[in-house]
Amino acid sequence: MAPLRDLFVAAAVAAVGNAAQDWDHSLFTNSPPVYPSPNMTGVEASGLSGWEAAMQKAEAFTNNLTLEEKAVMLTGAPGPCVGNIAPIPRVGFKGLCLQDGPLAVRQADYASAFPAGLSAAASWDRDLIHLRGKYIAEEFKGKGSQVFLGPVAGPLGRSGYNGRNWEGFSPDPYLTGVAMEESILGVQSVGVQANAKHWIAYEQETQRNPEEAFDPNAVPYDEQIMSVSSNLDDRTMHELYVWPFANAVRAGVASVMCSYNRINGSYACQNSKTQNGILKGELGFQGYIMSDWMGTHSGVASIEAGLDMNMPGGISFKPTLPGVPTYFGANLTEAVNNGTVPEWRVNDMVRRVMTPYFLLGQDKDFPLVDPSMGEYPSVNEFDKQDGWYDDWNKAKALGEPDVDVRANHSKLIRELGAAGIVLLKNENNTLPLKAPKRIGVFGNAAGDLTTGLYYHDKNYEYGCLPVGGGSGSARLNYVVSPLEAIKEQAKKDGTNVQYILNNTQLTTSGGFLKQIYPQPDVCLVFVKTWASEGEDRTTLHLDWDGDDVVTEVARNCSNTVVITNSGGLNVLPWADNENVTAILAAHLPGNEIGNSILDVLYGNVNPSGKLPYTIAHEVSDYDFANVTREVADPKDTNAWQADFEERLLIDYRYFDYHNLSVAFPFGHGLSYTSFELADLAITPVSNASAAGLPKAVAKAAPGGNPALWDTLYTATATVTNSGDLPGAAVPQLYVRLPAAAGEGTPLRQLRGFEKVPLEKGEQKQVRFELMRRDLSVWDVVAQEWRVPEGEFVVSVGFSSRDFRDEKTFTI
Ligand code: NOJ
């Protein structure tokens, strides 16, 4: 073992060996070297076959390229998309168009804005998540984009403050793993490459980039204030942060994007431990690693550490970034020519890029790039001056502008938007509404957007939030606001609708009393929380005095229903107010936001969403992961350090371990009907052995050692709809590992869930498969997964704190 690796292992052992001990920061300042970068082998992924044959085509393609052309294949260039690999007409290659992602073809006109990952996770519905991926990819393909920059498993959601949590799914790695897998299978089923991002431990926006990342000429590199370093132990790395990416690799994901942060001191895109060691080595990843935009900080070092593609490349990327240098491009050819980088490595990089391309049939009949997808107005004068337009035209790589790719996707958007809404409270059966005579609508999140439909990356005061901000946002080609949907419904029902959308008027000048007559039967309060890439949230409360708005309306209205429209979790200090009779967490539902909310309010849809995170009582309950702290010495280039001292204990794992009461637990969500769950039975799979992990096959299969995915036990239970309406239940299975798993192990962890639609009175058997990985811990000394010996407790229920049956087994 190399000395540095010893150090890493020692750190990991020390960190997890005794959860109560102080954090020794000095153990987390080194990321061990893992070289050389593994060549791809073409071994099949269980989610997508044909790698070997595609690799051979990629090999032939690579052999036909000059060194300069190889560099073109690996270096972003100007072009019509957010990331571009330029066409190479000599070999008939039309280039690659990479687009954000992850909830829409972000910049495109005539495209849809789907519910955010957060909403998808809150649906706990594998089928809808799969379909979401498929439809998004159909839109990418229709626009001529080969690479969808999503889905997101990093940030995972260590901290509720993170501005980008909504782009991904849930702080629970199991739920996120399932969502990653279903999304990728859906996306790649229509011949579009998925990109799992951001690898890895990218858990805050604050200081995510070196101070001068976007102007590297301003300050010499070694004087720049570096990106935050995510410092974490090996076990936490595997059991939380790597976990969902393993699902992604197993699904056959084409590419992975390395992140902006450092990991134990070393930049993600040049971290050989995480890229060569974990991703390409342990997980057997067969595709290519691309950098996040401007996340590359070296040439040779990054290439040797496993980076395959540099984005956005350089040359002249955007008018605001003239002459940004590229570490690849001509520097790459020079490095090969002077012998610094071996050509076999470059060949592997190109093979990795081209294998998914051939595998997904992108060499055949792929639609040409819709040039209206660039920064709007596209195909504009700047683009033409820049030169790329002519090159792409000559390569016959551009198609017609303004292609409408939306098909009938609004139906799924509406359905999934509603499925991702969580009914947190419903006293006196306030909901569903039954053609009320008088409705009051309040709050600045009820109406339409007033400041435009694309650059909503500023916290706008008026308007609902269909999506969050930053590169994961979307050009909204239309929006149905909640107020609009309610008015439509009111016309049918003959309902009187009054509204006040100005929060200041409501909270400071008695707006309710002055304006509202007659007194509404029900008051609907729409409040929101903005979240965006590039900035972490500074509070977990609602924006725009949302808490005061709720309290004020509730003071005047004894039947107040609150709808939060938020890009993440909120604490809800008014949740127990007896005039607040119902609460819906509506998350970010996409284009059909108003209709999705309406469907739940009026019972066209029986809510079945469940919280993919925990709502605590107080903001201070989340202090364990507040990422917005200031650093002691802002001039110290290495000042930004995020010590993941909570280790495995994020979200419900933290609250459970410390036996803290919470307001609404992870997995909680009410329905208009009721469910029962009983008869848990656990059966070992006869030919599976829990003892000892069989050594990985010679070619590590995508997703890691294939034996990790063997089912060792099956669990079954009976779920019954005991209420008066049809609805869908989400039975959840949690596992408590034996004491041998070690101190600091979470008390219970989600290891199964199923969404089960049930007619009134209907009963179904639900079945969960417990795979070896589900019962294992990462053994930092053996550097393997290990099933700890002892008693396992399996609980099934309707949230992480609502168990209906329990059984044990011993290994
Ligand atoms: C930076 C973001 O972190 C990444 O998610 C996105 O894909 C790129 N920018 C391109 O917009």
Side-chain angles (χ1 to χ4, degrees), residues 604-798:
N604 307 331
V605 167
N606 190 347
S608 60
K610 310 291 161 201
L611 284 180
Y613 51 76
T614 304
I615 300 182
H617 294 292
E618 309 268 345
V619 168
S620 58
D621 293 343
Y622 294 100
D623 271 358
F624 69 90
N626 187 344
V627 292
T628 54
R629 293 184 202 121
E630 293 299 317
V631 292
D633 176 4
K635 290 219 176 67
D636 174 0
T637 57
N638 193 25
W640 286 89
Q641 304 287 329
D643 290 328
F644 288 23
E645 293 185 45
E646 73 292 339
R647 304 175 181 106
L648 296 167
L649 304 179
I650 62 170
D651 197 66
Y652 69 87
R653 290 160 166 80
Y654 172 83
F655 296 108
D656 286 355
Y657 195 86
H658 296 289
N659 197 19
L660 297 170
S661 104
V662 300
F664 298 103
F666 174 86
H668 168 77
L670 302 171
S671 163
Y672 298 149
T673 187
S674 52
F675 301 103
E676 281 162 21
L677 186 62
D679 306 331
L680 174 62
I682 301 184
T683 325
V685 173
S686 56
N687 56 357
S689 155
L693 184 64
K695 283 285 165 232
V697 286
K699 295 174 171 185
N705 189 328
L708 288 169
W709 306 91
D710 290 345
T711 301
L712 301 186
Y713 289 82
T714 56
T716 53
T718 310
V719 55
T720 310
N721 182 344
S722 51
D724 294 329
L725 290 169
V730 182
Q732 301 159 36
L733 181 147
Y734 294 80
V735 171
R736 182 176 188 145
L737 297 173
E743 210 176 323
T745 301
L747 286 194
R748 279 179 222 94
Q749 308 190 71
L750 182 73
R751 289 296 184 250
F753 67 88
E754 227 29 85
K755 187 137 196 176
V756 189
L758 292 164
E759 294 300 325
K760 174 183 167 187
E762 195 184 350
Q763 196 167 73
K764 278 186 192 156
Q765 198 187 61
V766 55
R767 182 187 155 92
F768 308 96
E769 302 205 343
L770 289 169
M771 295 184 279
R772 184 187 305 271
R773 184 179 70 152
D774 297 328
L775 304 175
S776 296
V777 293
W778 178 253
D779 184 326
V780 295
V781 177
Q783 291 288 293
E784 277 288 16
W785 291 91
R786 172 177 61 81
V787 178
E789 287 179 7
E791 187 184 71
F792 289 72
V793 183
V794 177
S795 312
V796 285
F798 292 124

Side-chain angles (χ1 to χ4, degrees), residues 413-750:
I413 295 173
R414 181 171 181 163
E415 187 184 352
L416 180 57
I421 296 175
V422 183
L423 177 64
L424 294 173
K425 174 179 179 182
N426 193 21
E427 296 294 308
N428 323 319
N429 293 326
T430 287
L431 297 180
L433 301 176
K434 296 146 204 99
K437 230 168 143 40
R438 296 176 288 256
I439 291 184
V441 175
F442 303 91
N444 66 353
D448 210 339
L449 291 80
T450 56
T451 49
L453 298 184
Y454 183 39
Y455 277 109
H456 19 245
D457 46 352
K458 279 273 169 285
N459 191 355
Y460 53 91
E461 181 165 2
Y462 289 100
C464 56
L465 294 177
V467 298
S471 67
S473 193
R475 181 184 303 286
L476 298 169
N477 286 277
Y478 74 99
V479 181
V480 180
S481 76
L483 183 56
E484 197 178 330
I486 289 165
K487 282 185 179 176
E488 275 296 309
Q489 180 68 36
K491 266 192 231 153
K492 293 182 203 150
D493 297 343
T495 304
N496 168 299
V497 182
Q498 307 171 68
Y499 44 93
I500 302 176
L501 308 185
N502 184 320
N503 286 7
T504 315
Q505 185 189 349
L506 279 163
T507 52
T508 61
S509 59
F512 190 105
L513 286 178
K514 281 185 202 154
Q515 286 284 350
I516 300 298
Y517 178 83
Q519 174 72 15
D521 303 324
V522 59
C523 299
L524 306 177
V525 187
F526 290 86
V527 278
K528 62 179 177 178
T529 308
W530 175 250
S532 173
E533 178 184 350
E535 56 196 352
D536 289 310
R537 293 167 56 189
T538 53
T539 172
L540 299 176
H541 285 284
L542 294 158
D543 293 344
W544 304 106
D545 299 324
D547 292 333
D548 292 348
V549 171
V550 173
T551 310
E552 180 61 15
V553 173
R555 208 161 61 82
N556 292 289
C557 182
S558 62
N559 191 21
T560 296
V561 174
V562 182
I563 300 99
T564 64
N565 177 194
S566 296
L569 67 85
N570 292 117
V571 287
L572 308 171
W574 34 261
D576 292 333
N577 181 324
E578 61 181 20
N579 286 354
V580 174
T581 48
I583 307 173
L584 291 174
H587 301 122
L588 300 174
N591 287 133
E592 295 279 332
I593 175 171
N595 286 331
S596 297
I597 294 174
L598 183 98
D599 283 344
V600 173
L601 285 175
Y602 280 78
N604 307 331
V605 167
N606 190 347
S608 60
K610 310 291 161 201
L611 284 180
Y613 51 76
T614 304
I615 300 182
H617 294 292
E618 309 268 345
V619 168
S620 58
D621 293 343
Y622 294 100
D623 271 358
F624 69 90
N626 187 344
V627 292
T628 54
R629 293 184 202 121
E630 293 299 317
V631 292
D633 176 4
K635 290 219 176 67
D636 174 0
T637 57
N638 193 25
W640 286 89
Q641 304 287 329
D643 290 328
F644 288 23
E645 293 185 45
E646 73 292 339
R647 304 175 181 106
L648 296 167
L649 304 179
I650 62 170
D651 197 66
Y652 69 87
R653 290 160 166 80
Y654 172 83
F655 296 108
D656 286 355
Y657 195 86
H658 296 289
N659 197 19
L660 297 170
S661 104
V662 300
F664 298 103
F666 174 86
H668 168 77
L670 302 171
S671 163
Y672 298 149
T673 187
S674 52
F675 301 103
E676 281 162 21
L677 186 62
D679 306 331
L680 174 62
I682 301 184
T683 325
V685 173
S686 56
N687 56 357
S689 155
L693 184 64
K695 283 285 165 232
V697 286
K699 295 174 171 185
N705 189 328
L708 288 169
W709 306 91
D710 290 345
T711 301
L712 301 186
Y713 289 82
T714 56
T716 53
T718 310
V719 55
T720 310
N721 182 344
S722 51
D724 294 329
L725 290 169
V730 182
Q732 301 159 36
L733 181 147
Y734 294 80
V735 171
R736 182 176 188 145
L737 297 173
E743 210 176 323
T745 301
L747 286 194
R748 279 179 222 94
Q749 308 190 71
L750 182 73

Side-chain angles (χ1 to χ4, degrees), residues 198-209:
H198 308 82
W199 177 262
I200 192 168
Y202 169 51
E203 295 296 322
Q204 69 180 62
E205 291 300 278
T206 310
Q207 194 64 22
R208 67 176 185 164
N209 275 308

